[in-house]
Amino acid sequence: MKKSSEEPDFGATGQFELTGVYFVDKKADAAFATTLGMDRIKTLLLLGAGHAHLQVLTQLAANRRSDLDVTLVTPWSYQTYSSMTPGFVAGHYPLEDCQIDLQPLIREAGARWISARCTGLDANTQSIMLDYGGSSPGVDLHKTGISTNRPAMMTYDFLSIDTGSVMEKRTLDKAIPGAFEHAILVRPLEQFVNRWSQLLNKAKAHPDSPLRINMIGGGVSGVELVLAMHQGLQAAGLRAQFSLVAGGPVLAADFPKGTQKRLAQQLRNRQIEVHSNRCTRVHADRIELDDGRSLPSEYTFLATGSAAPEWLQHSGLAQDAEGYAQVNAHLQSTSHKNVFAAGDVASRVDRPQNKNGNRAKQAGADLALNLLASLTNQPLNAHNPSQHGVSFISCGDRTAIANWGGMSAEGAWAWRWKDKTDREFMARFRRG
Ligand SMILES: Cc1cc2nc3c(=O)[nH]c(=O)nc-3n(C[C@H](O)[C@H](O)[C@H](O)COP(=O)(O)OP(=O)(O)OC[C@H]3O[C@@H](n4cnc5c(N)ncnc54)[C@H](O)[C@@H]3O)c2cc1C
């Protein structure tokens, strides 16, 4: 009766795989499942190990249920924390400090991990497509004791999406031709941090030739990273000439004017050239600007062009104008009650909000509560994130800018505060 020649996957929970992928005679299967009492088991599929899902995993661990079969689909065996990534680039943290090992969390939650990327979703048939290419290179799944079964698709009863926003070839090729091919993208962070380490090692091997580095993107992550890169190379005794191609006259547009001025001053202090132009094309050794100029570029970084994942487009899920999954106050899809989404990939219909890590973090607890409540048809909680939190932007040199409402202030105290907050967040997910 089994379609696949592979052994059945009993998963981390020891429960039988009920995804429907393997069976052809659904009626017979349903009867068989009822006989075993397994028709009561619901499958919960978590896509992505973003900020909110880290908390969902810890909540699932605290509320283990024998009637729930949980699978996490995410390409990497660890999650890189974006807030600490500039600190890694600046040389303040080793990479391990910025990454969370997912495997203990998955085990505690009694979940199964599939090291893959979701490439398609059909919310009407409750199924996803998987791609294993390039997932968690270097991880020997046999050694981890987790599922090595590689289904091309999976079905679910409940789905939760926390896959962030992405930088994909088709979108980037349209916006800035050559960028996908020649630039180093800041997403996924796992690839970005590897590319930065490679650059640093190469530069150390040739310390006498100054580098020419261009950062494209005047948003907060582009500015924060270029400051961190300047610091990182300086600390390693290396020389480089940096430019920031901001794509407009305003830096960090989502932040108060005071913050924008502080960032501009930080860039001036480090003699980082700022161009308000848009980049129109990236070549292997130069970039073109919209005023016809071209800048030499040994390394071009791209911190712009994050978008909704393409696989959402034909999913049948309600989406906003930019293609992000539309959710209500319960973080529940406005079109499919068994689908939830949080973080950058989600768009609230009732209260539009900026996409950032803080928002994603805040959503985690309510997402977990609502997933568990929906399994038992309990009422769902409205997610009302605080509007008054402090946010921080690091300036590279162990100082940071603190933002609160429309105000800002900066100093070493702000960096220490940010560092403490970041480490506390990481500590919640560290095991052993
Ligand atoms: C350099 C940098 C610094 C930043 N610093 C800050 C900061 O200090 N504060 C702040 O608030 N925000 C910051 N941000 C923004 C912040 O990173 C994002 O808003 C935040 O990561 C969004 O969280 P998320 O949970 O939605 O998704 P993410 O953190 O992006 O996580 C997505 C997860 O989904 C997985 N995934 C992706 N695609 C798939 C797929 N197809 N199938 C399965 N899994 C998939 C990924 O591997 C990852 O595990 C920064 C961004 C960058 C680039």
Side-chain angles (χ1 to χ4, degrees):
M1 196 137 67
K2 285 189 99 223
K3 207 158 69 169
S4 159
S5 60
E6 291 172 324
E7 284 300 303
D9 176 10
F10 288 87
T13 52
Q15 292 161 353
F16 196 41
E17 183 73 80
L18 267 186
T19 59
V21 177
Y22 306 107
F23 301 99
V24 283
D25 185 346
K26 289 203 169 175
K27 219 168 156 189
D29 291 341
F32 182 58
T34 308
T35 313
L36 295 177
M38 288 165 64
D39 55 340
R40 292 189 298 275
I41 296 173
K42 300 269 193 298
T43 52
L44 167 63
L45 195 51
L46 304 176
L47 288 188
H51 296 64
H53 275 179
L54 294 174
Q55 293 166 76
V56 169
L57 286 172
T58 57
Q59 282 307 309
L60 288 171
N63 298 280
R64 289 280 284 259
R65 298 177 61 109
S66 57
D67 58 351
L68 186 61
D69 186 64
V70 185
T71 301
L72 172 71
V73 172
T74 197
W76 313 92
S77 65
Y78 46 85
Q79 173 71 4
T80 305
Y81 185 33
S82 56
S83 186
M84 290 176 80
T85 301
F88 158 72
V89 170
H92 305 320
Y93 305 121
L95 189 52
E96 311 82 83
D97 283 13
C98 315
Q99 294 186 321
I100 296 162
D101 182 359
L102 295 173
Q103 291 179 41
L105 298 178
I106 295 167
R107 270 196 300 273
E108 270 179 24
R112 175 190 300 109
W113 172 44
I114 294 196
S115 169
R117 232 168 253 289
C118 168
T119 52
L121 165 63
D122 183 342
N124 296 325
T125 58
Q126 301 180 195
S127 57
I128 63 158
M129 299 285 294
L130 296 171
D131 175 18
Y132 296 86
S135 50
S136 266
V139 176
D140 181 345
L141 296 189
H142 291 277
K143 280 193 191 150
T144 62
I146 50 175
S147 174
T148 54
N149 217 345
R150 293 193 146 199
M153 62 165 286
M154 291 183 72
T155 57
Y156 59 82
D157 296 312
F158 292 89
L159 175 70
S160 179
I161 312 174
D162 182 16
T163 49
S165 46
V166 292
M167 299 173 86
E168 286 176 326
K169 184 171 179 355
R170 207 179 318 180
T171 322
L172 293 181
D173 280 350
K174 232 197 245 161
I176 310 179
F180 191 83
E181 200 180 344
H182 300 299
I184 299 174
L185 312 180
V186 302
R187 288 184 181 284
L189 283 173
E190 287 74 15
Q191 277 170 8
F192 164 74
V193 293
N194 287 342
R195 295 292 299 272
W196 175 253
S197 301
Q198 285 164 9
L199 181 158
L200 205 56
N201 289 337
K202 208 168 151 194
K204 281 177 184 165
H206 305 281
D208 297 329
S209 40
L211 299 170
R212 185 66 224 230
I213 298 177
N214 291 298
M215 169 64 77
I216 302 172
V220 66
S221 53
V223 181
E224 202 177 13
L225 276 178
V226 80
L227 291 170
M229 288 176 181
H230 188 276
Q231 175 72 26
L233 290 182
Q234 201 175 49
L238 299 164
R239 285 176 303 142
Q241 192 180 339
F242 283 92
S243 298
L244 175 74
V245 179
V250 179
L251 298 174
D254 295 337
F255 284 79
K257 285 226 159 18
T259 304
Q260 295 170 3
K261 283 189 187 155
R262 290 175 194 279
L263 287 172
Q265 186 60 48
Q266 289 285 343
L267 292 162
R268 275 196 296 276
N269 293 348
R270 290 179 180 269
Q271 289 161 2
I272 296 172
E273 281 173 19
V274 179
H275 301 273
S276 57
N277 309 75
R278 279 189 321 104
C279 173
T280 50
R281 183 173 286 272
V282 180
H283 300 269
D285 58 354
R286 68 194 159 89
I287 60 173
E288 290 176 20
L289 305 186
D290 60 358
D291 62 357
R293 278 182 302 155
S294 108
L295 305 177
S297 193
E298 241 172 307
Y299 292 99
T300 303
F301 287 87
L302 192 78
T304 186
S306 287
E310 276 185 27
W311 52 262
L312 266 180
Q313 265 174 37
H314 307 290
S315 63
L317 282 186
Q319 291 150 41
D320 71 6
E322 292 174 81
Y324 291 100
Q326 228 170 29
V327 296
N328 59 23
H330 307 124
L331 306 172
Q332 183 182 39
S333 161
T334 53
S335 58
H336 292 74
K337 285 191 162 163
N338 62 336
V339 179
F340 290 76
D344 283 7
V345 76
S347 167
R348 285 275 293 261
V349 278
D350 56 327
R351 57 155 83 185
Q353 51 195 21
N354 292 339
K355 295 190 186 300
N356 60 50
N358 279 336
R359 290 268 172 264
K361 269 196 246 177
Q362 285 181 349
D366 283 327
L367 177 65
L369 277 176
N370 285 343
L371 284 170
L372 288 166
S374 63
L375 294 168
T376 46
N377 292 320
Q378 299 297 310
L380 304 180
N381 287 292
H383 172 57
N384 293 312
S386 154
Q387 303 295 329
H388 303 296
V390 182
S391 71
F392 298 98
I393 305 170
S394 57
C395 303
D397 55 354
R398 291 186 195 267
T399 66
I401 301 171
N403 307 280
W404 189 81
M407 294 186 291
S408 68
E410 69 184 295
W413 60 270
W415 157 264
R416 287 194 296 274
W417 188 354
K418 176 182 187 331
D419 176 57
K420 183 169 175 286
T421 312
D422 285 344
R423 287 181 187 276
E424 280 171 1
F425 178 72
M426 296 295 273
R428 288 170 55 193
F429 307 107
R430 290 217 189 285
R431 300 293 182 267

